[in-house]
Amino acid sequence: MIENKDPIKSDNLTARLIEAIVNGEYPPGSKISEPELARVFDVSRGPLREAMMRVESLNLVERVPHVGARVVTLSLDKLVEIYAVREALEGMAANLACKYITDAEITVLEDLLNRHQSHIEQVDGASYFYQQGDFDFHYLIIQASKNHQLIALLCDQLYHLVRMYRYQSPRSHARPEKALYEHFAILNAIKARDPELAEMLMRRHIKNSRLLIENELLEE
Amino acid sequence: MIENKDPIKSDNLTARLIEAIVNGEYPPGSKISEPELARVFDVSRGPLREAMMRVESLNLVERVPHVGARVVTLSLDKLVEIYAVREALEGMAANLACKYITDAEITVLEDLLNRHQSHIEQVDGASYFYQQGDFDFHYLIIQASKNHQLIALLCDQLYHLVRMYRYQSPRSHARPEKALYEHFAILNAIKARDPELAEMLMRRHIKNSRLLIENELLEE
DNA sequence: ATCAACAATATTGTCAACAATTGTGGTTTT
DNA sequence: AAAACCACAATTGTTGACAATATTGTTGAT
């Protein structure tokens, strides 16, 4: 049993910082004070700054020289842009998944969607559980593409911002029945090894989410 | 006249490190020693490590805890993956450019391609100048998409690796006449505000480059 | 001679203090 | 009273030293 404790403060800090920012512990726009955070995480400013540099590379904070770092504010415009990129990249992922997905991965996806099905019938509506489940579905498809550059770009770069948004407005994405239906359709296309259809369905699925956001944007 | 000297060592270092790695000053696979680099760049290890963290986020170096960092070795497989992602993203950029490109940007692109035309007729072949020109063309199209997330992903993340590859094997991409012809076709589609055509042509253009790489891969 | 254990060396990870810059509050001036 | 200026405080940027870990070289045993 390899423990892989990873006792390196700087590395662990990065993950903890990401999580803290994504789940709103440090709200958008708020200033991040190095001395304060160093106290909170019980490290010195050295490793903390190294972690901050990485978090900055993820576009989760914005730094101004000699002034400091602030948590990014996720405007709806920015989010629409992100969803447009997701459309292209996850469409591509669905396409590739048709070729490279394994039977084992298909089984995992089927189990996941079946659990969602029964969960929705019981709870009847959006819930934290389903939110996470939606991410799981997309992550699995992305992984199944087997393109490591694509996986890194989506999972390590874009998805933190998407998760951050959903923490902020958890109910705006609430169209669980329709989304689940679309998930089933995508999975079916992948099982049928139909790349064009899978890509088209995935693009439309994400486009539908994007349209919800754009509607929010119009209501202001 | 704003000087914007940006005297922050950590920030400047990042750019210098990127350039040094991309142009092969530190060859792929070579170990990066913190004390040595600190001497070379005349800074202490603190800022250097901060820069290293950012360079690591760009996937230009790979770090192992307590062991050190090495410049990434760009395998052909990895490169093919990158080009596949470029196909999706730059296709999207060409598509969006049709809607958002300005007349001024079109003029810049036309001038650029005309210079390439006369340059190729004179020098008759691939040259460093044309290599840079190819990048300029793609950068301009990407910028014209006006999607900042897309721009950041391509220019700040992927393109460093692409440039690194071209420095390594500068002649494998030598198909300047055909590439220039394709560039003109893409620009014409954008000028005609035909998103589907522009996207298709851009995807095919990048796909052609990818096929060259895949052929190299088969020859081994 | 080959391999294993151990000591020495070098490198990475971390810390606390110092330097440089920015923001703030009060004072002065118009 | 409003604006400009100056000094103070706080924060960021940087440095050099210390601690922890990995690599190297050496010794000794089989």
mmCIF file of all heavy atoms in Angstrom, chain B residues 31-32 34-35 45 49 63 66, chain C residues 10-15 20-21:
data_model
loop_
_atom_site.group_PDB
_atom_site.id
_atom_site.type_symbol
_atom_site.label_atom_id
_atom_site.label_comp_id
_atom_site.label_asym_id
_atom_site.label_seq_id
_atom_site.Cartn_x
_atom_site.Cartn_y
_atom_site.Cartn_z
ATOM 1 N N LYS B 31 17.852 18.531 -17.288
ATOM 2 C CA LYS B 31 17.476 18.882 -15.921
ATOM 3 C C LYS B 31 17.653 20.372 -15.718
ATOM 4 O O LYS B 31 18.543 20.991 -16.293
ATOM 5 C CB LYS B 31 18.367 18.126 -14.939
ATOM 6 C CG LYS B 31 18.064 18.450 -13.502
ATOM 7 C CD LYS B 31 18.237 17.249 -12.599
ATOM 8 C CE LYS B 31 17.650 17.483 -11.224
ATOM 9 N NZ LYS B 31 17.710 18.850 -10.754
ATOM 10 N N ILE B 32 16.769 20.937 -14.918
ATOM 11 C CA ILE B 32 16.860 22.350 -14.606
ATOM 12 C C ILE B 32 17.254 22.490 -13.149
ATOM 13 O O ILE B 32 16.490 22.158 -12.248
ATOM 14 C CB ILE B 32 15.521 23.056 -14.875
ATOM 15 C CG1 ILE B 32 15.248 23.061 -16.382
ATOM 16 C CG2 ILE B 32 15.544 24.460 -14.344
ATOM 17 C CD1 ILE B 32 14.044 23.850 -16.769
ATOM 18 N N GLU B 34 17.971 24.560 -9.925
ATOM 19 C CA GLU B 34 17.581 25.864 -9.384
ATOM 20 C C GLU B 34 18.776 26.744 -9.058
ATOM 21 O O GLU B 34 18.795 27.914 -9.463
ATOM 22 C CB GLU B 34 16.691 25.664 -8.154
ATOM 23 C CG GLU B 34 15.326 25.108 -8.498
ATOM 24 C CD GLU B 34 14.467 24.942 -7.251
ATOM 25 O OE1 GLU B 34 14.890 25.373 -6.171
ATOM 26 O OE2 GLU B 34 13.372 24.368 -7.363
ATOM 27 N N PRO B 35 19.785 26.238 -8.362
ATOM 28 C CA PRO B 35 20.932 27.109 -8.068
ATOM 29 C C PRO B 35 21.600 27.614 -9.343
ATOM 30 O O PRO B 35 21.955 28.791 -9.433
ATOM 31 C CB PRO B 35 21.875 26.176 -7.306
ATOM 32 C CG PRO B 35 21.007 25.110 -6.755
ATOM 33 C CD PRO B 35 19.913 24.913 -7.750
ATOM 34 N N ARG B 45 16.649 32.140 -5.449
ATOM 35 C CA ARG B 45 15.822 30.983 -5.803
ATOM 36 C C ARG B 45 14.338 31.250 -5.598
ATOM 37 O O ARG B 45 13.497 30.568 -6.198
ATOM 38 C CB ARG B 45 16.269 29.768 -4.988
ATOM 39 C CG ARG B 45 17.522 29.108 -5.535
ATOM 40 C CD ARG B 45 17.907 27.900 -4.693
ATOM 41 N NE ARG B 45 16.798 26.999 -4.509
ATOM 42 C CZ ARG B 45 16.506 26.425 -3.346
ATOM 43 N NH1 ARG B 45 17.233 26.660 -2.294
ATOM 44 N NH2 ARG B 45 15.484 25.609 -3.269
ATOM 45 N N ARG B 49 11.771 30.057 -8.405
ATOM 46 C CA ARG B 49 10.801 28.979 -8.193
ATOM 47 C C ARG B 49 9.388 29.432 -8.551
ATOM 48 O O ARG B 49 8.608 28.662 -9.122
ATOM 49 C CB ARG B 49 10.860 28.504 -6.747
ATOM 50 C CG ARG B 49 12.024 27.571 -6.449
ATOM 51 C CD ARG B 49 12.101 27.244 -4.972
ATOM 52 N NE ARG B 49 10.905 26.556 -4.494
ATOM 53 C CZ ARG B 49 10.744 25.236 -4.504
ATOM 54 N NH1 ARG B 49 11.698 24.472 -4.970
ATOM 55 N NH2 ARG B 49 9.648 24.688 -4.053
ATOM 56 N N ARG B 63 7.889 18.525 -13.136
ATOM 57 C CA ARG B 63 8.572 18.496 -11.849
ATOM 58 C C ARG B 63 8.271 17.226 -11.079
ATOM 59 O O ARG B 63 7.162 16.701 -11.116
ATOM 60 C CB ARG B 63 8.159 19.695 -11.010
ATOM 61 C CG ARG B 63 8.878 20.985 -11.399
ATOM 62 C CD ARG B 63 8.213 22.164 -10.751
ATOM 63 N NE ARG B 63 7.509 21.782 -9.547
ATOM 64 C CZ ARG B 63 8.047 21.772 -8.336
ATOM 65 N NH1 ARG B 63 9.276 22.146 -8.153
ATOM 66 N NH2 ARG B 63 7.329 21.398 -7.300
ATOM 67 N N HIS B 66 10.978 16.876 -4.715
ATOM 68 C CA HIS B 66 12.281 16.599 -4.097
ATOM 69 C C HIS B 66 13.330 16.106 -5.083
ATOM 70 O O HIS B 66 14.436 15.757 -4.677
ATOM 71 C CB HIS B 66 12.156 15.592 -2.954
ATOM 72 C CG HIS B 66 11.444 16.129 -1.782
ATOM 73 N ND1 HIS B 66 10.208 15.680 -1.394
ATOM 74 C CD2 HIS B 66 11.753 17.116 -0.911
ATOM 75 C CE1 HIS B 66 9.814 16.354 -0.326
ATOM 76 N NE2 HIS B 66 10.728 17.234 -0.022
ATOM 77 P P DA C 10 29.211 19.133 -3.344
ATOM 78 O OP1 DA C 10 30.192 19.440 -4.402
ATOM 79 O OP2 DA C 10 29.160 19.951 -2.117
ATOM 80 O "O5'" DA C 10 27.758 19.120 -4.010
ATOM 81 C "C5'" DA C 10 27.378 18.023 -4.832
ATOM 82 C "C4'" DA C 10 25.875 18.064 -5.072
ATOM 83 O "O4'" DA C 10 25.178 17.543 -3.920
ATOM 84 C "C3'" DA C 10 25.334 19.476 -5.290
ATOM 85 O "O3'" DA C 10 24.459 19.462 -6.402
ATOM 86 C "C2'" DA C 10 24.609 19.803 -3.998
ATOM 87 C "C1'" DA C 10 24.137 18.426 -3.565
ATOM 88 N N9 DA C 10 23.916 18.299 -2.134
ATOM 89 C C8 DA C 10 24.751 18.664 -1.115
ATOM 90 N N7 DA C 10 24.281 18.421 0.086
ATOM 91 C C5 DA C 10 23.043 17.850 -0.164
ATOM 92 C C6 DA C 10 22.039 17.363 0.698
ATOM 93 N N6 DA C 10 22.134 17.378 2.034
ATOM 94 N N1 DA C 10 20.925 16.867 0.129
ATOM 95 C C2 DA C 10 20.834 16.854 -1.208
ATOM 96 N N3 DA C 10 21.708 17.280 -2.119
ATOM 97 C C4 DA C 10 22.805 17.769 -1.517
ATOM 98 P P DT C 11 23.905 20.806 -7.044
ATOM 99 O OP1 DT C 11 24.238 20.786 -8.472
ATOM 100 O OP2 DT C 11 24.329 21.943 -6.185
ATOM 101 O "O5'" DT C 11 22.330 20.629 -6.905
ATOM 102 C "C5'" DT C 11 21.734 19.362 -7.185
ATOM 103 C "C4'" DT C 11 20.370 19.292 -6.543
ATOM 104 O "O4'" DT C 11 20.524 19.075 -5.117
ATOM 105 C "C3'" DT C 11 19.553 20.578 -6.685
ATOM 106 O "O3'" DT C 11 18.312 20.298 -7.297
ATOM 107 C "C2'" DT C 11 19.391 21.088 -5.270
ATOM 108 C "C1'" DT C 11 19.533 19.818 -4.448
ATOM 109 N N1 DT C 11 20.015 20.080 -3.067
ATOM 110 C C2 DT C 11 19.307 19.585 -2.002
ATOM 111 O O2 DT C 11 18.284 18.923 -2.140
ATOM 112 N N3 DT C 11 19.831 19.884 -0.764
ATOM 113 C C4 DT C 11 20.967 20.609 -0.502
ATOM 114 O O4 DT C 11 21.336 20.820 0.656
ATOM 115 C C5 DT C 11 21.668 21.115 -1.658
ATOM 116 C C7 DT C 11 22.917 21.930 -1.483
ATOM 117 C C6 DT C 11 21.167 20.818 -2.870
ATOM 118 P P DT C 12 17.279 21.455 -7.650
ATOM 119 O OP1 DT C 12 16.812 21.206 -9.015
ATOM 120 O OP2 DT C 12 17.906 22.745 -7.287
ATOM 121 O "O5'" DT C 12 16.076 21.206 -6.633
ATOM 122 C "C5'" DT C 12 15.485 19.917 -6.543
ATOM 123 C "C4'" DT C 12 14.710 19.776 -5.247
ATOM 124 O "O4'" DT C 12 15.601 19.992 -4.128
ATOM 125 C "C3'" DT C 12 13.580 20.795 -5.080
ATOM 126 O "O3'" DT C 12 12.402 20.119 -4.669
ATOM 127 C "C2'" DT C 12 14.084 21.741 -4.002
ATOM 128 C "C1'" DT C 12 14.982 20.829 -3.183
ATOM 129 N N1 DT C 12 16.041 21.544 -2.417
ATOM 130 C C2 DT C 12 16.081 21.413 -1.050
ATOM 131 O O2 DT C 12 15.289 20.744 -0.423
ATOM 132 N N3 DT C 12 17.109 22.118 -0.432
ATOM 133 C C4 DT C 12 18.061 22.897 -1.042
ATOM 134 O O4 DT C 12 18.921 23.468 -0.378
ATOM 135 C C5 DT C 12 17.954 22.993 -2.479
ATOM 136 C C7 DT C 12 18.946 23.824 -3.244
ATOM 137 C C6 DT C 12 16.966 22.319 -3.098
ATOM 138 P P DG C 13 11.010 20.918 -4.533
ATOM 139 O OP1 DG C 13 9.919 19.986 -4.859
ATOM 140 O OP2 DG C 13 11.168 22.178 -5.277
ATOM 141 O "O5'" DG C 13 10.939 21.256 -2.988
ATOM 142 C "C5'" DG C 13 10.570 20.214 -2.078
ATOM 143 C "C4'" DG C 13 10.427 20.776 -0.679
ATOM 144 O "O4'" DG C 13 11.697 21.325 -0.258
ATOM 145 C "C3'" DG C 13 9.400 21.911 -0.541
ATOM 146 O "O3'" DG C 13 8.612 21.679 0.625
ATOM 147 C "C2'" DG C 13 10.262 23.161 -0.419
ATOM 148 C "C1'" DG C 13 11.500 22.624 0.282
ATOM 149 N N9 DG C 13 12.717 23.394 0.041
ATOM 150 C C8 DG C 13 13.247 23.750 -1.176
ATOM 151 N N7 DG C 13 14.354 24.439 -1.070
ATOM 152 C C5 DG C 13 14.567 24.542 0.300
ATOM 153 C C6 DG C 13 15.609 25.179 1.019
ATOM 154 O O6 DG C 13 16.585 25.798 0.581
ATOM 155 N N1 DG C 13 15.441 25.049 2.399
ATOM 156 C C2 DG C 13 14.399 24.377 2.994
ATOM 157 N N2 DG C 13 14.388 24.355 4.330
ATOM 158 N N3 DG C 13 13.412 23.774 2.324
ATOM 159 C C4 DG C 13 13.568 23.896 0.988
ATOM 160 P P DT C 14 7.412 22.714 1.009
ATOM 161 O OP1 DT C 14 6.375 21.941 1.699
ATOM 162 O OP2 DT C 14 7.084 23.512 -0.186
ATOM 163 O "O5'" DT C 14 8.107 23.674 2.066
ATOM 164 C "C5'" DT C 14 8.645 23.116 3.252
ATOM 165 C "C4'" DT C 14 9.315 24.181 4.091
ATOM 166 O "O4'" DT C 14 10.508 24.654 3.424
ATOM 167 C "C3'" DT C 14 8.468 25.426 4.358
ATOM 168 O "O3'" DT C 14 8.123 25.440 5.739
ATOM 169 C "C2'" DT C 14 9.348 26.613 3.963
ATOM 170 C "C1'" DT C 14 10.734 25.983 3.830
ATOM 171 N N1 DT C 14 11.608 26.621 2.809
ATOM 172 C C2 DT C 14 12.750 27.243 3.221
ATOM 173 O O2 DT C 14 13.077 27.320 4.385
ATOM 174 N N3 DT C 14 13.501 27.795 2.200
ATOM 175 C C4 DT C 14 13.220 27.765 0.848
ATOM 176 O O4 DT C 14 13.974 28.293 0.039
ATOM 177 C C5 DT C 14 12.012 27.091 0.485
ATOM 178 C C7 DT C 14 11.607 26.992 -0.942
ATOM 179 C C6 DT C 14 11.267 26.560 1.470
ATOM 180 P P DC C 15 7.088 26.541 6.291
ATOM 181 O OP1 DC C 15 6.331 25.955 7.413
ATOM 182 O OP2 DC C 15 6.381 27.144 5.164
ATOM 183 O "O5'" DC C 15 8.103 27.607 6.903
ATOM 184 C "C5'" DC C 15 9.119 27.152 7.801
ATOM 185 C "C4'" DC C 15 10.168 28.238 8.005
ATOM 186 O "O4'" DC C 15 10.890 28.450 6.780
ATOM 187 C "C3'" DC C 15 9.597 29.594 8.419
ATOM 188 O "O3'" DC C 15 9.970 29.864 9.762
ATOM 189 C "C2'" DC C 15 10.202 30.586 7.426
ATOM 190 C "C1'" DC C 15 11.306 29.798 6.746
ATOM 191 N N1 DC C 15 11.511 30.167 5.324
ATOM 192 C C2 DC C 15 12.698 30.793 4.928
ATOM 193 O O2 DC C 15 13.555 31.044 5.777
ATOM 194 N N3 DC C 15 12.870 31.109 3.623
ATOM 195 C C4 DC C 15 11.910 30.824 2.737
ATOM 196 N N4 DC C 15 12.129 31.142 1.462
ATOM 197 C C5 DC C 15 10.690 30.177 3.122
ATOM 198 C C6 DC C 15 10.533 29.879 4.411
ATOM 199 P P DA C 20 15.837 48.732 -1.563
ATOM 200 O OP1 DA C 20 16.797 48.855 -2.686
ATOM 201 O OP2 DA C 20 15.818 49.722 -0.470
ATOM 202 O "O5'" DA C 20 14.371 48.636 -2.176
ATOM 203 C "C5'" DA C 20 14.036 47.538 -3.015
ATOM 204 C "C4'" DA C 20 12.586 47.642 -3.458
ATOM 205 O "O4'" DA C 20 11.721 47.233 -2.371
ATOM 206 C "C3'" DA C 20 12.143 49.052 -3.840
ATOM 207 O "O3'" DA C 20 11.361 48.980 -5.017
ATOM 208 C "C2'" DA C 20 11.328 49.516 -2.655
ATOM 209 C "C1'" DA C 20 10.726 48.218 -2.162
ATOM 210 N N9 DA C 20 10.404 48.199 -0.734
ATOM 211 C C8 DA C 20 11.183 48.619 0.303
ATOM 212 N N7 DA C 20 10.640 48.464 1.485
ATOM 213 C C5 DA C 20 9.405 47.894 1.195
ATOM 214 C C6 DA C 20 8.350 47.490 2.026
ATOM 215 N N6 DA C 20 8.363 47.590 3.355
ATOM 216 N N1 DA C 20 7.261 46.963 1.428
ATOM 217 C C2 DA C 20 7.248 46.864 0.092
ATOM 218 N N3 DA C 20 8.189 47.207 -0.787
ATOM 219 C C4 DA C 20 9.249 47.728 -0.163
ATOM 220 P P DT C 21 10.928 50.322 -5.780
ATOM 221 O OP1 DT C 21 11.194 50.100 -7.220
ATOM 222 O OP2 DT C 21 11.515 51.477 -5.063
ATOM 223 O "O5'" DT C 21 9.355 50.347 -5.575
ATOM 224 C "C5'" DT C 21 8.587 49.203 -5.923
ATOM 225 C "C4'" DT C 21 7.235 49.256 -5.240
ATOM 226 O "O4'" DT C 21 7.413 49.157 -3.812
ATOM 227 C "C3'" DT C 21 6.459 50.560 -5.476
ATOM 228 O "O3'" DT C 21 5.334 50.278 -6.281
ATOM 229 C "C2'" DT C 21 6.071 51.035 -4.071
ATOM 230 C "C1'" DT C 21 6.318 49.810 -3.210
ATOM 231 N N1 DT C 21 6.702 50.110 -1.804
ATOM 232 C C2 DT C 21 5.859 49.717 -0.794
ATOM 233 O O2 DT C 21 4.820 49.125 -0.979
ATOM 234 N N3 DT C 21 6.307 50.036 0.482
ATOM 235 C C4 DT C 21 7.474 50.691 0.798
ATOM 236 O O4 DT C 21 7.767 50.931 1.976
ATOM 237 C C5 DT C 21 8.292 51.086 -0.300
ATOM 238 C C7 DT C 21 9.585 51.813 -0.057
ATOM 239 C C6 DT C 21 7.878 50.768 -1.544
#
